[in-house]
Amino acid sequence: MLTPVTDTDGAPFWEYAAQGELRVQACADCGELRFPPRPCCPHCQSFAAEWRLTSGRGRVWSYVVPHPPLLPDYAAQAPYNVVMVELEETPRIRLVGNLVSRAGASLDSLDPERVRIGARVRVVFPEGGLPQWVLA
Amino acid sequence: MTVAGLKDATAIVGIGQTAFAKRLPEDEKTLACRAVLAALDDAGIAPGEVDGLASYTMEETDEVELAKAVGFGDLTFFSKVPYGGGGSCATVAHLAGAIASGQASVGVAWRSRKRGSGPRPWTNTTVQLPTPAQWTRPFGLLRPADEIAMLARRYMHEYGATRDHLFNVALACRNRANQNPAAVMYERPLTREMYMTSRWISEPLCLFDNCLETDGALACVLVSKERARDCAKKPVYVHSVAQGLPAQHHGMVNYWNDDPLTGPAWTAARQLWKHADFTADDVDVAQIYDAFTALVPLSLEGYGFCGRGEGGAFTEQGALEIGGRLPLNTSGGGLSEAYVHGFNLINEGVKQLRGTSTAQVPGAATCLVTAGEGVPTSALLLRS
């Protein structure tokens, strides 16, 4: 499976996720949330940033169900879902992820028929893995 | 000079292409040379007169290799537009600007690809991952088809667009390819049953919602309107040009701005129409970038052929067929002629306005050509 190749801007996201926290970059001056992370605020041009803890709750904005040809590790689990979740507190902040049956379950652990746009979801953090989403 | 000063100041006077196939024996550089020489021959201009070049990224044949191989003169203008298929029309736009402002006199744009027999860019994860793709690829959103399917699903949910609407797009392209002996899908009709029962690639997109995988190359030649009058073929004037990269846009995964369903087409369109003498209502034929069927309804809305959310319904009742409101991709497009990163759409626009298309729209005098939607894009209005 692919793992994120982090950069200076994005590294804190993955470090917080490894600690079981879903945090999003925010401007330390005007407070505007932004994603993906970047060096300065597009609203006020400040370079001061902080990482704000989110509720970890959201809704499915859209989803796809990929079928092969895919990279081998993914083909082995296909068809699986990839969801885009908009966060409850700021719908404009959307995160790509997978909706699974429970933390640590495989990408294909939830029947794609159960995925719906608008479904309420919450983030879970499998040991040593990427953040995942489960139906709330 | 204002952008409006480009209006009809230059013309495409030569087009050329190689054969299109799943697998061609020659390499990309050789194919590029053949297409460029064919375009210059079509224009009746010697290679030594070329002094301007424009291409777009993901092009393996670079300027110096092409110039040496085919014998260009001293080059005084060259540019390469980023974002892959979004740059196709911008090559012509850059040449038009260079020629109109005196930086060059004969410009060539080209695209050569071995996408049918070559590697898939998305499988090269060492290149892909150390980019913003870190936010998508690890979760299995691996291919361009997956990225666009995400927008397509939301679009269908929000506006009631259906798979039948996407089929209308695929069918119009296939029907035109069936009239075009150069098309990969010549003599291979598509039916609704074939479409609805085909395998999924990334739900909600099926096999026939995806472009072809093609080897081939194309090129075109631009000169000033004054010089165009002396060329062998009927000039096709570059009436208006535009590029578009919307605020807070984010590559093909355009999920992180306020309104992901109004993509680069909307931005390019505002610029395109601002300097045009006519409107979408006056466009006789359109060549709209169709790497995926779902890009077409979005583009129909973006370029102003219908209102927001009406792109699906616009495709009904044969609107995209010959004789319909807006004949689409009359060579077969990327879905059914060849996927050469959209360059075949430019050359087909020229053929329509010369009156030499294999699926000629009677009396066509205006044509919209667009580049990849979803990525930072570009567009042309051509007129005869």
Side-chain angles (χ1 to χ4, degrees), chain B residues 36-59:
Chain B
V36 167
L37 288 172
L40 286 165
D41 183 61
D42 187 52
I45 293 176
E49 291 192 64
V50 174
D51 57 6
L53 287 182
S55 62
Y56 45 125
T57 48
M58 302 175 78
E59 172 59 52

mmCIF file of all heavy atoms in Angstrom, chain B residues 36-59:
data_model
loop_
_atom_site.group_PDB
_atom_site.id
_atom_site.type_symbol
_atom_site.label_atom_id
_atom_site.label_comp_id
_atom_site.label_asym_id
_atom_site.label_seq_id
_atom_site.Cartn_x
_atom_site.Cartn_y
_atom_site.Cartn_z
ATOM 1 N N VAL B 36 4.789 17.056 -37.677
ATOM 2 C CA VAL B 36 5.196 18.446 -37.927
ATOM 3 C C VAL B 36 5.471 18.668 -39.415
ATOM 4 O O VAL B 36 5.033 19.662 -40.002
ATOM 5 C CB VAL B 36 6.438 18.802 -37.070
ATOM 6 C CG1 VAL B 36 7.075 20.105 -37.543
ATOM 7 C CG2 VAL B 36 6.040 18.893 -35.598
ATOM 8 N N LEU B 37 6.182 17.732 -40.034
ATOM 9 C CA LEU B 37 6.479 17.887 -41.461
ATOM 10 C C LEU B 37 5.196 17.822 -42.296
ATOM 11 O O LEU B 37 5.059 18.554 -43.289
ATOM 12 C CB LEU B 37 7.481 16.819 -41.910
ATOM 13 C CG LEU B 37 8.910 17.052 -41.383
ATOM 14 C CD1 LEU B 37 9.804 15.859 -41.702
ATOM 15 C CD2 LEU B 37 9.507 18.345 -41.945
ATOM 16 N N ALA B 38 4.260 16.987 -41.873
ATOM 17 C CA ALA B 38 2.975 16.914 -42.589
ATOM 18 C C ALA B 38 2.226 18.242 -42.474
ATOM 19 O O ALA B 38 1.615 18.720 -43.444
ATOM 20 C CB ALA B 38 2.129 15.771 -42.037
ATOM 21 N N ALA B 39 2.271 18.861 -41.312
ATOM 22 C CA ALA B 39 1.571 20.140 -41.112
ATOM 23 C C ALA B 39 2.226 21.255 -41.936
ATOM 24 O O ALA B 39 1.533 22.095 -42.533
ATOM 25 C CB ALA B 39 1.565 20.508 -39.626
ATOM 26 N N LEU B 40 3.550 21.264 -41.971
ATOM 27 C CA LEU B 40 4.255 22.283 -42.772
ATOM 28 C C LEU B 40 3.995 22.074 -44.260
ATOM 29 O O LEU B 40 3.811 23.035 -45.018
ATOM 30 C CB LEU B 40 5.753 22.239 -42.473
ATOM 31 C CG LEU B 40 6.145 22.824 -41.107
ATOM 32 C CD1 LEU B 40 7.564 22.407 -40.732
ATOM 33 C CD2 LEU B 40 6.011 24.351 -41.125
ATOM 34 N N ASP B 41 3.976 20.820 -44.684
ATOM 35 C CA ASP B 41 3.672 20.515 -46.080
ATOM 36 C C ASP B 41 2.256 20.970 -46.430
ATOM 37 O O ASP B 41 2.014 21.553 -47.496
ATOM 38 C CB ASP B 41 3.829 19.013 -46.303
ATOM 39 C CG ASP B 41 3.607 18.644 -47.760
ATOM 40 O OD1 ASP B 41 4.368 19.137 -48.617
ATOM 41 O OD2 ASP B 41 2.656 17.881 -48.046
ATOM 42 N N ASP B 42 1.319 20.745 -45.510
ATOM 43 C CA ASP B 42 -0.070 21.174 -45.701
ATOM 44 C C ASP B 42 -0.143 22.697 -45.861
ATOM 45 O O ASP B 42 -0.926 23.216 -46.663
ATOM 46 C CB ASP B 42 -0.895 20.720 -44.490
ATOM 47 C CG ASP B 42 -2.389 20.972 -44.653
ATOM 48 O OD1 ASP B 42 -2.949 20.557 -45.681
ATOM 49 O OD2 ASP B 42 -2.978 21.584 -43.744
ATOM 50 N N ALA B 43 0.710 23.394 -45.111
ATOM 51 C CA ALA B 43 0.717 24.860 -45.168
ATOM 52 C C ALA B 43 1.504 25.387 -46.364
ATOM 53 O O ALA B 43 1.372 26.572 -46.725
ATOM 54 C CB ALA B 43 1.328 25.415 -43.874
ATOM 55 N N GLY B 44 2.358 24.545 -46.935
ATOM 56 C CA GLY B 44 3.240 25.006 -48.007
ATOM 57 C C GLY B 44 4.355 25.903 -47.491
ATOM 58 O O GLY B 44 4.783 26.846 -48.162
ATOM 59 N N ILE B 45 4.841 25.615 -46.287
ATOM 60 C CA ILE B 45 5.901 26.411 -45.660
ATOM 61 C C ILE B 45 7.102 25.495 -45.389
ATOM 62 O O ILE B 45 6.936 24.373 -44.899
ATOM 63 C CB ILE B 45 5.402 27.058 -44.350
ATOM 64 C CG1 ILE B 45 4.332 28.113 -44.673
ATOM 65 C CG2 ILE B 45 6.559 27.680 -43.556
ATOM 66 C CD1 ILE B 45 3.698 28.745 -43.446
ATOM 67 N N ALA B 46 8.301 25.978 -45.704
ATOM 68 C CA ALA B 46 9.511 25.175 -45.513
ATOM 69 C C ALA B 46 9.893 25.115 -44.037
ATOM 70 O O ALA B 46 9.733 26.111 -43.312
ATOM 71 C CB ALA B 46 10.660 25.772 -46.313
ATOM 72 N N PRO B 47 10.431 23.982 -43.561
ATOM 73 C CA PRO B 47 10.828 23.857 -42.148
ATOM 74 C C PRO B 47 11.795 24.957 -41.715
ATOM 75 O O PRO B 47 11.712 25.439 -40.571
ATOM 76 C CB PRO B 47 11.495 22.478 -42.094
ATOM 77 C CG PRO B 47 10.855 21.705 -43.197
ATOM 78 C CD PRO B 47 10.585 22.701 -44.298
ATOM 79 N N GLY B 48 12.681 25.397 -42.613
ATOM 80 C CA GLY B 48 13.655 26.429 -42.249
ATOM 81 C C GLY B 48 13.035 27.765 -41.903
ATOM 82 O O GLY B 48 13.692 28.641 -41.331
ATOM 83 N N GLU B 49 11.755 27.958 -42.238
ATOM 84 C CA GLU B 49 11.081 29.227 -41.919
ATOM 85 C C GLU B 49 10.473 29.248 -40.521
ATOM 86 O O GLU B 49 10.029 30.303 -40.051
ATOM 87 C CB GLU B 49 9.972 29.495 -42.936
ATOM 88 C CG GLU B 49 10.497 29.827 -44.332
ATOM 89 C CD GLU B 49 9.380 30.361 -45.204
ATOM 90 O OE1 GLU B 49 8.854 31.445 -44.868
ATOM 91 O OE2 GLU B 49 9.005 29.684 -46.169
ATOM 92 N N VAL B 50 10.416 28.085 -39.868
ATOM 93 C CA VAL B 50 9.798 28.031 -38.536
ATOM 94 C C VAL B 50 10.707 28.730 -37.523
ATOM 95 O O VAL B 50 11.893 28.426 -37.433
ATOM 96 C CB VAL B 50 9.562 26.570 -38.100
ATOM 97 C CG1 VAL B 50 9.046 26.509 -36.661
ATOM 98 C CG2 VAL B 50 8.583 25.879 -39.044
ATOM 99 N N ASP B 51 10.146 29.688 -36.778
ATOM 100 C CA ASP B 51 10.922 30.373 -35.739
ATOM 101 C C ASP B 51 10.205 30.423 -34.392
ATOM 102 O O ASP B 51 10.675 31.059 -33.456
ATOM 103 C CB ASP B 51 11.332 31.779 -36.188
ATOM 104 C CG ASP B 51 10.133 32.634 -36.582
ATOM 105 O OD1 ASP B 51 8.985 32.169 -36.404
ATOM 106 O OD2 ASP B 51 10.334 33.759 -37.070
ATOM 107 N N GLY B 52 9.042 29.729 -34.277
ATOM 108 C CA GLY B 52 8.311 29.708 -33.012
ATOM 109 C C GLY B 52 7.776 28.314 -32.721
ATOM 110 O O GLY B 52 7.276 27.633 -33.622
ATOM 111 N N LEU B 53 7.881 27.893 -31.453
ATOM 112 C CA LEU B 53 7.390 26.565 -31.059
ATOM 113 C C LEU B 53 6.576 26.680 -29.778
ATOM 114 O O LEU B 53 6.895 27.487 -28.908
ATOM 115 C CB LEU B 53 8.545 25.608 -30.774
ATOM 116 C CG LEU B 53 9.364 25.058 -31.938
ATOM 117 C CD1 LEU B 53 10.414 24.085 -31.391
ATOM 118 C CD2 LEU B 53 8.467 24.366 -32.940
ATOM 119 N N ALA B 54 5.551 25.845 -29.677
ATOM 120 C CA ALA B 54 4.813 25.752 -28.412
ATOM 121 C C ALA B 54 4.370 24.313 -28.195
ATOM 122 O O ALA B 54 3.885 23.660 -29.123
ATOM 123 C CB ALA B 54 3.607 26.685 -28.412
ATOM 124 N N SER B 55 4.558 23.847 -26.969
ATOM 125 C CA SER B 55 4.117 22.496 -26.624
ATOM 126 C C SER B 55 3.551 22.522 -25.210
ATOM 127 O O SER B 55 3.443 23.585 -24.608
ATOM 128 C CB SER B 55 5.284 21.503 -26.722
ATOM 129 O OG SER B 55 6.298 21.862 -25.811
ATOM 130 N N TYR B 56 3.166 21.354 -24.719
ATOM 131 C CA TYR B 56 2.676 21.301 -23.341
ATOM 132 C C TYR B 56 3.279 20.109 -22.620
ATOM 133 O O TYR B 56 3.795 19.192 -23.236
ATOM 134 C CB TYR B 56 1.158 21.327 -23.252
ATOM 135 C CG TYR B 56 0.350 20.448 -24.172
ATOM 136 C CD1 TYR B 56 -0.577 19.555 -23.645
ATOM 137 C CD2 TYR B 56 0.441 20.538 -25.560
ATOM 138 C CE1 TYR B 56 -1.382 18.782 -24.462
ATOM 139 C CE2 TYR B 56 -0.351 19.760 -26.379
ATOM 140 C CZ TYR B 56 -1.256 18.881 -25.832
ATOM 141 O OH TYR B 56 -2.045 18.125 -26.640
ATOM 142 N N THR B 57 3.252 20.172 -21.293
ATOM 143 C CA THR B 57 3.985 19.190 -20.499
ATOM 144 C C THR B 57 3.438 17.783 -20.712
ATOM 145 O O THR B 57 2.335 17.594 -21.204
ATOM 146 C CB THR B 57 3.929 19.529 -19.001
ATOM 147 O OG1 THR B 57 2.574 19.800 -18.648
ATOM 148 C CG2 THR B 57 4.805 20.715 -18.677
ATOM 149 N N MET B 58 4.253 16.801 -20.322
ATOM 150 C CA MET B 58 4.071 15.384 -20.602
ATOM 151 C C MET B 58 4.393 15.091 -22.066
ATOM 152 O O MET B 58 4.025 14.060 -22.596
ATOM 153 C CB MET B 58 2.676 14.893 -20.217
ATOM 154 C CG MET B 58 2.360 15.134 -18.740
ATOM 155 S SD MET B 58 0.689 14.706 -18.230
ATOM 156 C CE MET B 58 0.828 12.917 -18.098
ATOM 157 N N GLU B 59 5.100 16.033 -22.713
ATOM 158 C CA GLU B 59 5.586 15.834 -24.080
ATOM 159 C C GLU B 59 7.044 15.392 -23.988
ATOM 160 O O GLU B 59 7.869 16.101 -23.412
ATOM 161 C CB GLU B 59 5.469 17.143 -24.870
ATOM 162 C CG GLU B 59 6.113 17.114 -26.250
ATOM 163 C CD GLU B 59 5.519 16.042 -27.133
ATOM 164 O OE1 GLU B 59 4.288 16.005 -27.259
ATOM 165 O OE2 GLU B 59 6.285 15.206 -27.659
#
